[in-house]
Amino acid sequence: MRTVFLPSAILALAFFTPAVSQAQDDDIDALRAAVAEMRADYDSRIAELERRLAVAEQNAAQASYSAQQSTIAAAPSTGAPSSASNPAIGVVFQGQARQTDASGGEEEEGYLLGETEVIMQANVDDKFRAWLTAAIALEDGESVIEIEESWVEATALPAGFGARFGRFASGIGYLNDKHSHQWDFADQPLPYKAFLDGRYFDGGLQMRWLAPTDLYMELGGEVLQGEGSGSGLESSSLFANVGGDVGINNSWLAGGSYLEIDDSTSVSVAHFLWKWAPQGNWRQKNFVFQTEYLERRDAVTDKGWYAQAVFQPFQRWRFGVRADELDLDSDSNDPSRWTLMMDWSNSEFSRFRLQVARDDDGTDTSNEWALQYIHSIGAHGAHEF
Amino acid sequence: MYKKLQRTLLIALLATLPAAANAELNVFACEPEWAALARELGGDLVEAYSATTALQDPHYIQARPSLIAKVRQADLVICSGAQLEIGWLPALLQKANNRNVMPGTAGYMEASSYVLRLNATTDLDRAKGDIHPQGNPHIQTNPHNIAVVARVLSDRLQEIDQVNSTYYDEYFEKFITSWNEAVIEWEERAVDLVGRRAIAHHRSWVYLFDWLGIEEVANLEAIPGLPPTAAHLGKLTSEFSAGGADVIIRAPYQHAKPSEWLSERTGITAIVLPLTVGGTEEATDLYSLFDDILARLNGTINDD
């Protein structure tokens, strides 16, 4: 009360008493300054109180935010596709219509229902994860269910180790462990078809180790059952991958691998991949160059390679070209092929592809057309690089 | 051949081992805002890496080898979550062989798990586009959410690096005090934005609008996650040519054409807002991010 009265009194004094002398003027100025100082002090104190009140309100608001969320926070989403259902189930529908002008070719023609892939996956517990890919296909009018992959992975090994056991696609090469719906063309390159029967699947154990470096360096090895009916574990492999970024727009992956199918047969693969996207913003525009060289050694040495480039100039549309060739020791006719591809994706879950290939089997050339669809429903795992 | 290859690989393996020793806490953030927050809360003890830039669409990132290598070395992975990174983060975690950052451990956190998520739905029909059943993941545009996540992140840093927990606590107190002051200032600056109507390219701003009281009257995408169609833009043109909206907003990584097209035909100002740190030249950290968002929004209103 007193403090309020005092400044007012001084103010009244200041305004209503005319200046009498210089000394009085000085006193009045001093008083004015004191009043101004007091005011400023009050203002800042009030501002401080207001600020504290606002902070308190803020904290209360944040606390209620947190409280509202306690139920959700108790069961945080895992980001895994399996969070909506356990296990995560996805189905990929594929099919294609083919037409060829080759005379008496061994390739099938007309409408082919491709493999329908059923994928189930989930974490088993805090240390294991399991994956099943069952391919349902029609073979000679019969429905066939083939277990393509059925594996368990240890997710809690120390020191950058990972292990997978069961039946899986070998980690050799680049394309070998990519599902058919991830391919950029309607079929596999010639060396994969000829040397690995499309993709090399086997049962056994795979170990992988990743170096703790900014440069991606992965080493892996597999002990596999092999194709022989004998004592098993006849087959083994080793593979190494390195990769990284070049600036923000480019990234690359290179690797070498060696697969011993049995005592007398082995396949070596070298692969290289370059991906480009402006600003690393993959969605609208991107370009991928990919090439692999394969060598299969048994009694003779057969070689083969492919190189492909796929360009997405704008969202939804991609255009690709591929060259592949075999250099066969066992055959004087070395097949080679040029393939052009164009595909359209309505979303990341649906894609249509038109492909035309010019095939040279060493003696004759032929043209082949394919129209393919790939659609997927349900949970869809994140794609690898 | 086989033996030789084996030996070479073994030597390569041994040569890389010493690199494993590292005193700092490595934080792998899926988005720049969480890397920025980790830097605020971790000071010199934290080395934060962002997997994406503000010019990238975090829905669509390649699971690049360089990112796998970073996750391999991380002590903590922090992402927005709510399935924003569903197309690439699982692949990184699976390939990185790092058990310290697997979901369920202290080294893995999804920021959106700790705030009130908007737009959550139980309707999972993909015909309706990119569905995030757990709600809209772009939570960073409400500074109150940042404050909530800061508390959790600081707790995680203290859990992982217990020796330095007082250090992290001090940094948290320092941050939260100045952050709350900044929020008050932003809210004062934003009073004129209440009730304004915005058209957003994608539903990237629902938390910003919720915070500032801005009404989202339309989206340029007819279906979330699919590019805007001509038919939908045409519909918006007739709907808004006589007014009805104050601003058209897009993030730096979203195509400029649709919003410019609509702006030309309706006269509504189209602007780019930074969705995260680095989205504009001005938005260099979390504070300047909100400074810039408000400056840009206020700028459009003052133009009217």
mmCIF file of all heavy atoms in Angstrom, chain B residues 197-227:
data_model
loop_
_atom_site.group_PDB
_atom_site.id
_atom_site.type_symbol
_atom_site.label_atom_id
_atom_site.label_comp_id
_atom_site.label_asym_id
_atom_site.label_seq_id
_atom_site.Cartn_x
_atom_site.Cartn_y
_atom_site.Cartn_z
ATOM 1 N N ARG B 197 -7.431 -20.335 -42.763
ATOM 2 C CA ARG B 197 -7.724 -21.591 -43.445
ATOM 3 C C ARG B 197 -6.603 -21.933 -44.428
ATOM 4 O O ARG B 197 -6.205 -21.105 -45.232
ATOM 5 C CB ARG B 197 -9.066 -21.484 -44.180
ATOM 6 C CG ARG B 197 -10.241 -21.317 -43.218
ATOM 7 C CD ARG B 197 -11.337 -20.510 -43.837
ATOM 8 N NE ARG B 197 -10.849 -19.202 -44.275
ATOM 9 C CZ ARG B 197 -11.583 -18.322 -44.936
ATOM 10 N NH1 ARG B 197 -12.826 -18.609 -45.255
ATOM 11 N NH2 ARG B 197 -11.066 -17.166 -45.296
ATOM 12 N N ALA B 198 -6.115 -23.146 -44.349
ATOM 13 C CA ALA B 198 -4.968 -23.540 -45.174
ATOM 14 C C ALA B 198 -5.305 -24.753 -46.033
ATOM 15 O O ALA B 198 -6.075 -25.624 -45.643
ATOM 16 C CB ALA B 198 -3.779 -23.862 -44.273
ATOM 17 N N ILE B 199 -4.704 -24.768 -47.229
ATOM 18 C CA ILE B 199 -4.741 -25.953 -48.086
ATOM 19 C C ILE B 199 -3.333 -26.542 -48.056
ATOM 20 O O ILE B 199 -2.374 -25.851 -48.393
ATOM 21 C CB ILE B 199 -5.125 -25.583 -49.535
ATOM 22 C CG1 ILE B 199 -6.520 -24.945 -49.567
ATOM 23 C CG2 ILE B 199 -5.080 -26.814 -50.433
ATOM 24 C CD1 ILE B 199 -6.918 -24.403 -50.937
ATOM 25 N N ALA B 200 -3.195 -27.776 -47.634
ATOM 26 C CA ALA B 200 -1.872 -28.392 -47.538
ATOM 27 C C ALA B 200 -1.699 -29.419 -48.643
ATOM 28 O O ALA B 200 -2.651 -30.111 -49.012
ATOM 29 C CB ALA B 200 -1.693 -29.047 -46.176
ATOM 30 N N HIS B 201 -0.484 -29.508 -49.188
ATOM 31 C CA HIS B 201 -0.195 -30.495 -50.229
ATOM 32 C C HIS B 201 -0.504 -31.904 -49.706
ATOM 33 O O HIS B 201 -1.308 -32.636 -50.261
ATOM 34 C CB HIS B 201 1.284 -30.383 -50.626
ATOM 35 C CG HIS B 201 1.690 -31.294 -51.747
ATOM 36 N ND1 HIS B 201 2.009 -30.834 -52.996
ATOM 37 C CD2 HIS B 201 1.821 -32.638 -51.792
ATOM 38 C CE1 HIS B 201 2.322 -31.863 -53.773
ATOM 39 N NE2 HIS B 201 2.217 -32.966 -53.059
ATOM 40 N N HIS B 202 0.167 -32.267 -48.597
ATOM 41 C CA HIS B 202 -0.003 -33.569 -47.959
ATOM 42 C C HIS B 202 -0.414 -33.267 -46.520
ATOM 43 O O HIS B 202 -0.272 -32.141 -46.064
ATOM 44 C CB HIS B 202 1.353 -34.301 -48.010
ATOM 45 C CG HIS B 202 1.392 -35.639 -47.325
ATOM 46 N ND1 HIS B 202 0.764 -36.747 -47.829
ATOM 47 C CD2 HIS B 202 1.999 -36.042 -46.174
ATOM 48 C CE1 HIS B 202 0.996 -37.790 -47.024
ATOM 49 N NE2 HIS B 202 1.729 -37.379 -46.011
ATOM 50 N N ARG B 203 -0.888 -34.237 -45.813
ATOM 51 C CA ARG B 203 -1.273 -33.972 -44.416
ATOM 52 C C ARG B 203 -0.033 -33.920 -43.521
ATOM 53 O O ARG B 203 0.110 -34.691 -42.578
ATOM 54 C CB ARG B 203 -2.239 -35.043 -43.924
ATOM 55 C CG ARG B 203 -3.517 -35.114 -44.752
ATOM 56 C CD ARG B 203 -4.671 -35.605 -43.941
ATOM 57 N NE ARG B 203 -5.126 -34.569 -43.012
ATOM 58 C CZ ARG B 203 -6.145 -34.724 -42.166
ATOM 59 N NH1 ARG B 203 -6.772 -35.870 -42.105
ATOM 60 N NH2 ARG B 203 -6.497 -33.744 -41.361
ATOM 61 N N SER B 204 0.904 -33.016 -43.859
ATOM 62 C CA SER B 204 2.177 -32.914 -43.140
ATOM 63 C C SER B 204 2.089 -31.968 -41.961
ATOM 64 O O SER B 204 2.982 -31.918 -41.142
ATOM 65 C CB SER B 204 3.278 -32.388 -44.066
ATOM 66 O OG SER B 204 3.254 -33.042 -45.303
ATOM 67 N N TRP B 205 1.012 -31.165 -41.888
ATOM 68 C CA TRP B 205 1.019 -30.019 -40.965
ATOM 69 C C TRP B 205 -0.068 -30.086 -39.915
ATOM 70 O O TRP B 205 -0.349 -29.078 -39.271
ATOM 71 C CB TRP B 205 0.872 -28.723 -41.776
ATOM 72 C CG TRP B 205 1.815 -28.627 -42.925
ATOM 73 C CD1 TRP B 205 1.553 -28.920 -44.224
ATOM 74 C CD2 TRP B 205 3.198 -28.243 -42.874
ATOM 75 N NE1 TRP B 205 2.673 -28.740 -44.990
ATOM 76 C CE2 TRP B 205 3.700 -28.319 -44.182
ATOM 77 C CE3 TRP B 205 4.044 -27.843 -41.846
ATOM 78 C CZ2 TRP B 205 5.012 -28.018 -44.499
ATOM 79 C CZ3 TRP B 205 5.353 -27.535 -42.152
ATOM 80 C CH2 TRP B 205 5.824 -27.627 -43.463
ATOM 81 N N VAL B 206 -0.677 -31.226 -39.744
ATOM 82 C CA VAL B 206 -1.846 -31.265 -38.850
ATOM 83 C C VAL B 206 -1.486 -30.837 -37.420
ATOM 84 O O VAL B 206 -2.291 -30.225 -36.734
ATOM 85 C CB VAL B 206 -2.532 -32.650 -38.845
ATOM 86 C CG1 VAL B 206 -3.155 -32.938 -40.194
ATOM 87 C CG2 VAL B 206 -1.585 -33.743 -38.446
ATOM 88 N N TYR B 207 -0.254 -31.147 -36.994
ATOM 89 C CA TYR B 207 0.126 -30.771 -35.631
ATOM 90 C C TYR B 207 0.375 -29.266 -35.523
ATOM 91 O O TYR B 207 0.059 -28.653 -34.507
ATOM 92 C CB TYR B 207 1.361 -31.558 -35.177
ATOM 93 C CG TYR B 207 1.069 -33.036 -35.070
ATOM 94 C CD1 TYR B 207 1.287 -33.888 -36.152
ATOM 95 C CD2 TYR B 207 0.541 -33.573 -33.899
ATOM 96 C CE1 TYR B 207 0.994 -35.233 -36.068
ATOM 97 C CE2 TYR B 207 0.253 -34.921 -33.804
ATOM 98 C CZ TYR B 207 0.478 -35.755 -34.900
ATOM 99 O OH TYR B 207 0.174 -37.082 -34.818
ATOM 100 N N LEU B 208 0.922 -28.677 -36.581
ATOM 101 C CA LEU B 208 1.120 -27.226 -36.613
ATOM 102 C C LEU B 208 -0.237 -26.520 -36.557
ATOM 103 O O LEU B 208 -0.444 -25.595 -35.774
ATOM 104 C CB LEU B 208 1.871 -26.825 -37.891
ATOM 105 C CG LEU B 208 2.132 -25.334 -38.063
ATOM 106 C CD1 LEU B 208 3.277 -24.891 -37.175
ATOM 107 C CD2 LEU B 208 2.438 -24.990 -39.520
ATOM 108 N N PHE B 209 -1.165 -27.000 -37.396
ATOM 109 C CA PHE B 209 -2.490 -26.382 -37.456
ATOM 110 C C PHE B 209 -3.216 -26.535 -36.123
ATOM 111 O O PHE B 209 -3.885 -25.620 -35.654
ATOM 112 C CB PHE B 209 -3.318 -27.019 -38.582
ATOM 113 C CG PHE B 209 -2.740 -26.806 -39.959
ATOM 114 C CD1 PHE B 209 -3.099 -27.619 -41.023
ATOM 115 C CD2 PHE B 209 -1.836 -25.776 -40.192
ATOM 116 C CE1 PHE B 209 -2.575 -27.422 -42.289
ATOM 117 C CE2 PHE B 209 -1.298 -25.564 -41.458
ATOM 118 C CZ PHE B 209 -1.671 -26.396 -42.504
ATOM 119 N N ASP B 210 -3.074 -27.703 -35.528
ATOM 120 C CA ASP B 210 -3.712 -27.971 -34.249
ATOM 121 C C ASP B 210 -3.167 -27.008 -33.185
ATOM 122 O O ASP B 210 -3.903 -26.470 -32.373
ATOM 123 C CB ASP B 210 -3.423 -29.424 -33.854
ATOM 124 C CG ASP B 210 -4.087 -29.799 -32.540
ATOM 125 O OD1 ASP B 210 -5.304 -29.567 -32.414
ATOM 126 O OD2 ASP B 210 -3.390 -30.317 -31.646
ATOM 127 N N TRP B 211 -1.869 -26.778 -33.260
ATOM 128 C CA TRP B 211 -1.223 -25.899 -32.288
ATOM 129 C C TRP B 211 -1.667 -24.444 -32.461
ATOM 130 O O TRP B 211 -2.007 -23.756 -31.504
ATOM 131 C CB TRP B 211 0.309 -26.021 -32.437
ATOM 132 C CG TRP B 211 1.121 -25.041 -31.643
ATOM 133 C CD1 TRP B 211 0.947 -24.699 -30.333
ATOM 134 C CD2 TRP B 211 2.231 -24.271 -32.106
ATOM 135 N NE1 TRP B 211 1.883 -23.778 -29.949
ATOM 136 C CE2 TRP B 211 2.693 -23.500 -31.024
ATOM 137 C CE3 TRP B 211 2.896 -24.183 -33.334
ATOM 138 C CZ2 TRP B 211 3.772 -22.633 -31.130
ATOM 139 C CZ3 TRP B 211 3.977 -23.323 -33.446
ATOM 140 C CH2 TRP B 211 4.402 -22.558 -32.346
ATOM 141 N N LEU B 212 -1.689 -23.985 -33.714
ATOM 142 C CA LEU B 212 -1.926 -22.571 -33.978
ATOM 143 C C LEU B 212 -3.393 -22.228 -34.210
ATOM 144 O O LEU B 212 -3.735 -21.069 -34.381
ATOM 145 C CB LEU B 212 -1.099 -22.120 -35.193
ATOM 146 C CG LEU B 212 0.423 -22.231 -35.052
ATOM 147 C CD1 LEU B 212 1.107 -21.803 -36.336
ATOM 148 C CD2 LEU B 212 0.915 -21.395 -33.876
ATOM 149 N N GLY B 213 -4.245 -23.238 -34.255
ATOM 150 C CA GLY B 213 -5.658 -22.969 -34.500
ATOM 151 C C GLY B 213 -5.966 -22.649 -35.946
ATOM 152 O O GLY B 213 -6.906 -21.932 -36.266
ATOM 153 N N ILE B 214 -5.127 -23.200 -36.841
ATOM 154 C CA ILE B 214 -5.372 -23.010 -38.278
ATOM 155 C C ILE B 214 -6.274 -24.154 -38.753
ATOM 156 O O ILE B 214 -6.140 -25.289 -38.307
ATOM 157 C CB ILE B 214 -4.037 -23.011 -39.060
ATOM 158 C CG1 ILE B 214 -3.224 -21.777 -38.667
ATOM 159 C CG2 ILE B 214 -4.284 -23.045 -40.559
ATOM 160 C CD1 ILE B 214 -1.829 -21.742 -39.255
ATOM 161 N N GLU B 215 -7.180 -23.841 -39.658
ATOM 162 C CA GLU B 215 -8.098 -24.855 -40.139
ATOM 163 C C GLU B 215 -7.583 -25.422 -41.469
ATOM 164 O O GLU B 215 -7.289 -24.655 -42.390
ATOM 165 C CB GLU B 215 -9.479 -24.215 -40.331
ATOM 166 C CG GLU B 215 -10.584 -25.205 -40.594
ATOM 167 C CD GLU B 215 -11.881 -24.509 -41.031
ATOM 168 O OE1 GLU B 215 -12.003 -23.280 -40.818
ATOM 169 O OE2 GLU B 215 -12.733 -25.190 -41.601
ATOM 170 N N GLU B 216 -7.467 -26.729 -41.561
ATOM 171 C CA GLU B 216 -7.055 -27.343 -42.832
ATOM 172 C C GLU B 216 -8.312 -27.606 -43.653
ATOM 173 O O GLU B 216 -9.098 -28.490 -43.305
ATOM 174 C CB GLU B 216 -6.294 -28.651 -42.567
ATOM 175 C CG GLU B 216 -5.695 -29.261 -43.822
ATOM 176 C CD GLU B 216 -4.817 -30.472 -43.517
ATOM 177 O OE1 GLU B 216 -5.223 -31.318 -42.698
ATOM 178 O OE2 GLU B 216 -3.733 -30.568 -44.084
ATOM 179 N N VAL B 217 -8.487 -26.817 -44.730
ATOM 180 C CA VAL B 217 -9.737 -26.944 -45.480
ATOM 181 C C VAL B 217 -9.644 -27.944 -46.637
ATOM 182 O O VAL B 217 -10.671 -28.426 -47.114
ATOM 183 C CB VAL B 217 -10.221 -25.568 -46.012
ATOM 184 C CG1 VAL B 217 -10.732 -24.722 -44.859
ATOM 185 C CG2 VAL B 217 -9.116 -24.847 -46.757
ATOM 186 N N ALA B 218 -8.423 -28.253 -47.085
ATOM 187 C CA ALA B 218 -8.284 -29.218 -48.184
ATOM 188 C C ALA B 218 -6.838 -29.685 -48.295
ATOM 189 O O ALA B 218 -5.933 -29.097 -47.698
ATOM 190 C CB ALA B 218 -8.726 -28.595 -49.503
ATOM 191 N N ASN B 219 -6.635 -30.760 -49.056
ATOM 192 C CA ASN B 219 -5.297 -31.239 -49.398
ATOM 193 C C ASN B 219 -5.170 -31.292 -50.907
ATOM 194 O O ASN B 219 -6.140 -31.549 -51.607
ATOM 195 C CB ASN B 219 -5.042 -32.638 -48.835
ATOM 196 C CG ASN B 219 -4.915 -32.644 -47.323
ATOM 197 O OD1 ASN B 219 -5.735 -33.208 -46.627
ATOM 198 N ND2 ASN B 219 -3.889 -31.978 -46.818
ATOM 199 N N LEU B 220 -3.952 -31.047 -51.407
ATOM 200 C CA LEU B 220 -3.733 -31.160 -52.856
ATOM 201 C C LEU B 220 -3.758 -32.621 -53.284
ATOM 202 O O LEU B 220 -4.163 -32.947 -54.389
ATOM 203 C CB LEU B 220 -2.397 -30.521 -53.251
ATOM 204 C CG LEU B 220 -2.265 -29.015 -52.975
ATOM 205 C CD1 LEU B 220 -0.951 -28.505 -53.518
ATOM 206 C CD2 LEU B 220 -3.422 -28.240 -53.589
ATOM 207 N N GLU B 221 -3.310 -33.503 -52.415
ATOM 208 C CA GLU B 221 -3.406 -34.932 -52.711
ATOM 209 C C GLU B 221 -4.836 -35.384 -52.459
ATOM 210 O O GLU B 221 -5.366 -35.196 -51.370
ATOM 211 C CB GLU B 221 -2.471 -35.732 -51.796
ATOM 212 C CG GLU B 221 -0.993 -35.484 -52.021
ATOM 213 C CD GLU B 221 -0.127 -36.232 -51.020
ATOM 214 O OE1 GLU B 221 -0.653 -36.685 -49.982
ATOM 215 O OE2 GLU B 221 1.076 -36.356 -51.275
ATOM 216 N N ALA B 222 -5.426 -35.976 -53.495
ATOM 217 C CA ALA B 222 -6.787 -36.484 -53.307
ATOM 218 C C ALA B 222 -6.755 -37.693 -52.386
ATOM 219 O O ALA B 222 -7.632 -37.900 -51.561
ATOM 220 C CB ALA B 222 -7.393 -36.859 -54.652
ATOM 221 N N ILE B 223 -5.710 -38.508 -52.574
ATOM 222 C CA ILE B 223 -5.504 -39.688 -51.743
ATOM 223 C C ILE B 223 -4.122 -39.551 -51.122
ATOM 224 O O ILE B 223 -3.151 -39.330 -51.845
ATOM 225 C CB ILE B 223 -5.600 -40.976 -52.599
ATOM 226 C CG1 ILE B 223 -7.013 -41.115 -53.150
ATOM 227 C CG2 ILE B 223 -5.209 -42.201 -51.801
ATOM 228 C CD1 ILE B 223 -7.190 -42.267 -54.117
ATOM 229 N N PRO B 224 -4.010 -39.640 -49.799
ATOM 230 C CA PRO B 224 -2.708 -39.409 -49.151
ATOM 231 C C PRO B 224 -1.602 -40.283 -49.747
ATOM 232 O O PRO B 224 -1.782 -41.486 -49.893
ATOM 233 C CB PRO B 224 -2.955 -39.796 -47.691
ATOM 234 C CG PRO B 224 -4.428 -39.835 -47.503
ATOM 235 C CD PRO B 224 -5.050 -40.015 -48.837
ATOM 236 N N GLY B 225 -0.498 -39.648 -50.118
ATOM 237 C CA GLY B 225 0.646 -40.407 -50.608
ATOM 238 C C GLY B 225 0.667 -40.579 -52.118
ATOM 239 O O GLY B 225 1.684 -40.932 -52.683
ATOM 240 N N LEU B 226 -0.455 -40.336 -52.791
ATOM 241 C CA LEU B 226 -0.468 -40.404 -54.252
ATOM 242 C C LEU B 226 -0.408 -38.982 -54.794
ATOM 243 O O LEU B 226 -0.947 -38.058 -54.191
ATOM 244 C CB LEU B 226 -1.725 -41.120 -54.757
ATOM 245 C CG LEU B 226 -1.856 -42.593 -54.359
ATOM 246 C CD1 LEU B 226 -3.050 -43.235 -55.039
ATOM 247 C CD2 LEU B 226 -0.590 -43.371 -54.704
ATOM 248 N N PRO B 227 0.265 -38.782 -55.944
ATOM 249 C CA PRO B 227 0.425 -37.425 -56.466
ATOM 250 C C PRO B 227 -0.935 -36.770 -56.728
ATOM 251 O O PRO B 227 -1.888 -37.459 -57.080
ATOM 252 C CB PRO B 227 1.197 -37.627 -57.778
ATOM 253 C CG PRO B 227 1.525 -39.063 -57.884
ATOM 254 C CD PRO B 227 0.897 -39.807 -56.776
#
